[in-house]
Amino acid sequence: MAQKPSIPKGTRDFGQLEMARRNYIFDTIKGVFSLYGFQQIETPAMENIGTLMGKYGEEGDKLLFRIQNSGEKASLAPEKGLRYDLTVPFARYVVQHREEISFPFKRFQIQPVWRADRPQKGRYREFYQCDVDVIGSDSLIGELELIQIVEEVYRRLGINVCLHINNRKILAGIAEVIGAPDKMIDITVAIDKLDKIGVDAVNDELRERGLSEEQVAKLQPILNQESGIKNQDKMAQLREFLKNSEIGLKGIEEMEEVFELIETTGVKLNIELDLCLARGLNYYTGAIFEVKALDAQIGSITGGGRYDNLTGIFGLPGVSGVGISFGADRIYDVLTELDLFPKELQSATQVLFATFGADELRYALRWAKALREAGITTEVYPEPTKMKKQMGYADAKQIPFVAIVGGDEMAQNKVMLKNMSSGEQKLVEFDELVKQLKR
């Protein structure tokens, strides 16, 4: 009995139309990255397990795909794992290749990552990330450029977004002020779930993680901050709340400088200071970002932040970096839901040659070669079968024009060009055909 074909849960096949749309996303993002001087690298799908473990917090470690050893070491513990993100492999790359690169080092990377998560809408086990990072500089110009990149990418894609921003130093200051400086990671892991589980469930988790009732009570002004408050007003309230925390005030200063740079450069992006934004990854130390689509309910579609010592774990301490990751799969889902993909992506082919016989087919092949040399995507139906079948092929692939070749067309050194949308037909010479198709 034949095996029923299937793929693992949380993964997907991508057909021709899906790939055309995905490449539209990738090309748009690459174009913006390149405008700011970022250049592309790639790293392997798998890393040594020691490279990955302990970098993503307890929640992240549970989601690592470990690769079972084979051969002589089959009985031993896994030595390798599929990469969970592109940032940790990037840090490993920087340290390993430090003699070959110039700092500040600006790179982008567009590759798949894997997480052993429960599949659901907008959440996959295999998905692509589009990462852009600058490492080797403490300057907050890095944060500004990433914000400008977010603005331009989503302007080009036509998606209305809000960028949520916070600073891990502010979160460290909050933990300090409520008397739980050693619980900073517990606090951030819990409050990062606020949007998903609500205030009461977050408070329960904080208690489970060892915070006292008094400490949980002190957190309530942060967890219940009213929406609609201006960023400047939030900052003023926060400065009062953190007046006795040196690290918290440092976070506020960094945030104020970022907002000043945003104003100086005329960024029009919708930006909100979100004090409950924590980003669960342990390696963030400064500004953190998350981008959400305003017209679609799908969660974060871009996220990232500043990390001051990620390379330190690989033997290169004190190198600061900042980066963000665009979630291509979620962006795809948003563009699909909002019907924002360009209509011309429906078919990569501009014209199909349909012929009545063997001589006409050879005639069409010469014309097709010349059209391709002119930069026009062209197909020739491979056999002179019934015209209905050839036209059906053009319809199925949504090819906008069909060039019909019969004996009369050959005799006049022309083709009959049919507009598949309007049904209009016109006898044209080669130069006119090129002009029509390029129009």
Side-chain angles (χ1 to χ4, degrees):
M1 184 176 175
Q3 180 182 340
K4 184 179 178 182
S6 63
I7 58 175
K9 288 182 179 179
T11 65
R12 292 168 294 167
D13 288 322
F14 298 105
Q16 294 165 316
L17 177 58
E18 287 93 344
M19 282 310 303
R21 289 175 168 180
R22 285 167 69 78
N23 285 331
Y24 165 70
I25 295 169
F26 294 146
D27 292 344
T28 300
I29 292 172
K30 278 184 186 179
V32 179
F33 287 171
S34 298
L35 275 179
Y36 287 80
F38 292 86
Q39 294 179 298
Q40 190 167 13
I41 68 164
E42 288 195 349
T43 59
M46 58 182 158
E47 295 276 350
N48 292 324
I49 197 71
T51 299
L52 303 173
M53 286 294 290
K55 313 304 187 300
Y56 305 107
E58 60 181 82
E59 302 279 332
D61 281 352
K62 293 174 186 174
L63 301 181
L64 287 174
F65 270 111
R66 293 161 174 81
I67 298 175
Q68 188 63 46
N69 296 311
S70 58
E72 294 178 2
K73 298 182 178 180
S75 61
L76 301 179
E79 295 176 348
K80 294 173 285 294
L82 294 177
R83 59 171 173 248
Y84 177 94
D85 73 350
L86 299 176
T87 307
V88 169
F90 170 56
R92 188 267 310 152
Y93 176 94
V94 168
V95 177
Q96 195 169 340
H97 297 271
R98 58 186 158 188
E99 303 301 328
E100 306 158 29
I101 60 181
S102 301
F103 293 102
F105 180 50
K106 302 176 81 169
R107 85 80 170 90
F108 74 86
Q109 207 168 332
I110 297 179
Q111 290 186 272
V113 300
W114 294 267
R115 296 182 186 178
D117 215 340
R118 185 168 62 85
Q120 54 187 286
K121 183 185 177 185
R123 191 180 292 275
Y124 306 99
R125 286 176 169 171
E126 179 187 65
F127 55 97
Y128 270 74
Q129 287 186 337
C130 309
D131 274 26
V132 58
D133 290 75
V134 55
I135 195 166
S137 171
D138 297 325
S139 171
L140 296 179
I141 298 299
E143 278 80 346
L144 171 68
E145 287 194 349
L146 296 183
I147 291 168
Q148 291 174 311
I149 285 170
V150 167
E151 179 179 43
E152 182 60 16
V153 164
Y154 288 114
R155 185 193 68 78
R156 292 187 182 193
L157 293 175
I159 300 174
N160 296 319
V161 298
C162 178
L163 183 144
H164 296 252
I165 188 170
N166 199 5
N167 192 299
R168 293 278 283 206
K169 293 183 179 71
I170 289 174
L171 291 168
I174 290 169
E176 190 175 65
V177 165
I178 69 167
D182 58 326
K183 294 285 186 182
M184 192 251 188
I185 299 299
D186 293 293
I187 293 169
T188 56
V189 168
I191 70 172
D192 200 47
K193 301 173 184 175
L194 185 65
D195 280 351
K196 298 173 188 170
I197 64 177
V199 174
D200 291 341
V202 167
N203 287 334
D204 289 340
E205 183 167 335
L206 289 168
R207 293 182 188 102
E208 288 169 12
R209 289 177 174 273
L211 270 74
S212 68
E213 286 298 332
E214 183 184 359
Q215 290 166 341
V216 172
K218 285 180 179 178
L219 263 181
Q220 296 317 293
I222 302 297
L223 296 179
N224 291 288
Q225 194 164 58
E226 295 175 30
S227 59
I229 302 175
K230 291 182 179 179
N231 291 328
Q232 297 94 320
D233 295 335
K234 285 183 185 177
M235 210 87 76
Q237 292 175 13
L238 198 55
R239 186 173 279 281
E240 175 61 25
F241 187 86
L242 297 175
K243 62 185 177 185
N244 295 319
S245 170
E246 185 178 343
I247 191 170
L249 292 174
K250 174 65 175 169
I252 291 174
E253 287 171 17
E254 290 180 5
M255 190 70 70
E256 286 174 340
E257 184 177 342
V258 169
F259 277 115
E260 184 186 332
L261 290 169
I262 287 167
E263 190 173 343
T264 298
T265 52
V267 171
K268 298 291 191 292
L269 187 65
N270 185 359
I271 299 174
E272 180 184 334
L273 174 58
D274 183 351
L275 300 181
C276 289
L277 173 63
R279 307 253 341 134
L281 302 180
N282 288 346
Y283 54 64
Y284 291 124
T285 55
I288 42 179
F289 315 98
E290 203 159 85
V291 178
K292 295 182 180 179
L294 294 175
D295 303 320
Q297 296 297 315
I298 201 166
S300 170
I301 54 176
T302 297
R306 167 74 63 174
Y307 43 89
D308 280 341
N309 197 29
L310 191 55
T311 57
I313 52 180
F314 301 116
L316 185 62
V319 179
S320 185
V322 63
I324 53 172
S325 177
F326 289 80
D329 297 275
R330 288 191 175 187
I331 292 171
Y332 184 103
D333 290 344
V334 171
L335 289 171
T336 301
E337 182 180 331
L338 301 179
D339 194 24
L340 291 174
F341 281 110
K343 297 297 179 256
E344 59 266 24
L345 296 177
Q346 298 292 331
S347 175
T349 303
Q350 291 170 266
V351 62
L352 170 75
F353 279 88
T355 61
F356 284 99
D359 291 339
E360 289 91 335
L361 179 58
R362 282 158 178 74
Y363 176 91
L365 289 170
R366 291 193 295 273
W367 276 59
K369 181 176 184 293
L371 284 179
R372 291 171 186 140
E373 288 170 353
I376 294 167
T377 52
T378 306
E379 285 189 58
V380 179
Y381 198 83
E383 50 193 335
T385 186
K386 292 179 180 178
M387 192 54 59
K388 182 179 179 182
K389 185 175 182 181
Q390 297 182 66
M391 290 295 180
Y393 176 83
D395 267 336
K397 290 194 70 174
Q398 299 187 32
I399 299 172
F401 291 96
V402 174
I404 303 167
V405 182
D408 291 344
E409 286 79 19
M410 284 178 62
Q412 298 177 67
N413 198 29
K414 295 181 179 180
V415 297
M416 183 65 73
L417 185 65
K418 180 173 182 177
N419 184 316
M420 295 297 285
S421 177
S422 67
E424 180 187 353
Q425 294 190 171
K426 185 180 181 183
L427 201 60
V428 296
E429 295 177 337
F430 180 79
D431 289 345
E432 191 176 351
L433 176 62
V434 171
K435 195 180 296 182
Q436 178 81 19
L437 295 173
K438 286 201 167 182
R439 192 180 302 148

